[in-house]
Amino acid sequence: MTWSQAIAAAAKRLEAAGVHSPRNDAELLAAHVSGLKRVQLLIADAPAAAQLAVFDALVARRATREPLQHLTGSAAFRYGELAVGPGVFVPRPETELLVDWALTRLPKGGTVIDACSGSGAVAYAIATERPDATVWAVEIDPDAFEWLESNLDGTGATPVLADATAASTLNELDGTVDLVTANPPYVPFEIEVAPEVEFDPSGAVYAAEAGLAVIQPLAVRAARWLKPGGWFGFEHDDTHGAVAPEILGVTGFTETEDHDDLAGRPRFATGRLGLSP
């Protein structure tokens, strides 16, 4: 059996299991096992029996809807690859839109706090794309924090194991920060999610109070970190398109706006801390 034949068979199996992108996932798993680029697999020699056995085992796991990124050990995010696995939320492509926005609001030499940082995806992107910035990444979960530390090693960003909503967290920076970003837990408990999400830590996905239990106190904390005129942007559930900007408004933010993702769903809200009179 050639790699092309193995990939075709795997894609059919994944499609039958309801995987959203079966051919793509089969090719990425084959590239991971073989060490070849995807285009090389089209003309590659037949896989060794041991390689084929590993590939088949990974396809079987993917068919149970275990995330592709857990199987390969990495997740692509903007211009880099992040190490991920059990215990940390797998970054989604939609979060890249939050980074796009953040980079337009970050002044030269600015200070950034990325709250609820998880794998460190947003902090990693900002630190590597804007090395002039000072970046702090705050994560409360010890398991996720291990992934965060590894991913931020060498980027210049500083990981902090702490509760981002606590008044004591980085309180030495109160009133001095230019930008706060966050991808907090925000899915309401009653919302049905894709099977892959069940492999993410529940504390990084779900939140009480209709998904707003972390967002509300985080907005208050962000307002204390920021200097007047500083910006706060955070992801939210697509049911929060109206309430997220309202939370910003009652917390002292102006120029509040909600932003859609590429599928046209409400994805993240932004606001600017009111300037002093």
Side-chain angles (χ1 to χ4, degrees), residues 17 54-55 64 81 88 117 124 150 169 174 226 245 251 259:
V54 172
F55 176 67
T64 70
E81 290 280 339
V88 70
S117 196
Y124 176 92
S150 176
T169 298
D174 284 2
L226 289 166
T251 314
H259 307 256

Side-chain angles (χ1 to χ4, degrees), residues 10-273:
K12 287 183 180 179
R13 182 176 184 181
L14 296 180
E15 183 178 16
V19 172
H20 178 68
S21 51
R23 178 76 189 193
N24 175 75
D25 289 17
E27 290 182 354
L28 288 173
L29 288 174
H32 174 68
V33 171
S34 67
L36 300 172
K37 295 181 179 179
R38 291 168 71 176
V39 67
Q40 294 175 311
L41 291 167
L42 298 173
I43 56 173
D45 293 334
Q51 285 183 314
L52 192 58
V54 172
F55 176 67
D56 287 344
L58 291 176
V59 171
R61 290 170 63 186
R62 184 68 185 104
T64 70
R65 308 300 292 274
E66 186 172 350
L68 173 70
Q69 297 85 351
H70 282 197
L71 303 179
T72 63
S74 68
F77 190 79
R78 292 181 68 84
Y79 306 108
E81 290 280 339
L82 298 166
V84 295
V88 70
F89 182 82
V90 175
R92 272 52 169 183
E94 294 85 357
T95 304
E96 296 187 10
L97 298 175
L98 175 61
V99 176
D100 284 335
W101 170 85
L103 293 174
T104 68
R105 300 303 183 185
L106 178 60
K108 185 173 179 60
T111 299
V112 182
I113 294 177
D114 180 43
C116 307
S117 196
S119 67
V122 173
Y124 176 92
I126 294 175
T128 54
E129 295 178 45
R130 286 290 303 275
D132 60 289
T134 300
V135 181
W136 302 80
V138 182
E139 173 56 45
I140 190 173
D141 184 80
D143 292 331
F145 188 74
E146 290 186 14
W147 295 99
L148 173 68
E149 281 191 302
S150 176
N151 285 322
L152 295 186
D153 185 37
T155 66
T158 302
V160 179
L161 179 61
D163 179 357
T165 66
S168 59
T169 298
L170 293 179
N171 60 357
E172 68 273 18
L173 298 180
D174 284 2
T176 69
V177 175
D178 297 285
L179 174 70
V180 176
T181 57
N183 186 9
Y186 56 68
V187 177
F189 287 114
E190 67 273 13
I191 296 290
E192 184 176 350
V193 297
E196 285 83 355
V197 177
E198 299 299 334
F199 289 86
D200 286 315
S202 61
V205 177
Y206 299 99
E209 299 175 28
L212 300 171
V214 177
I215 287 174
Q216 291 173 321
L218 188 58
V220 173
R221 191 69 196 92
R224 292 174 180 161
W225 276 325
L226 289 166
K227 62 177 63 172
W231 291 89
F232 177 37
F234 63 93
E235 277 202 32
H236 58 69
D237 190 68
D238 58 16
T239 61
H240 298 154
V243 70
E246 292 176 359
I247 290 172
L248 289 172
V250 300
T251 314
F253 289 90
T254 63
E255 301 179 46
T256 60
E257 183 179 359
D258 203 70
H259 307 256
D260 291 344
D261 61 20
L262 296 178
R265 297 168 297 195
R267 178 56 56 186
F268 68 98
T270 61
R272 191 179 192 188
L273 189 63

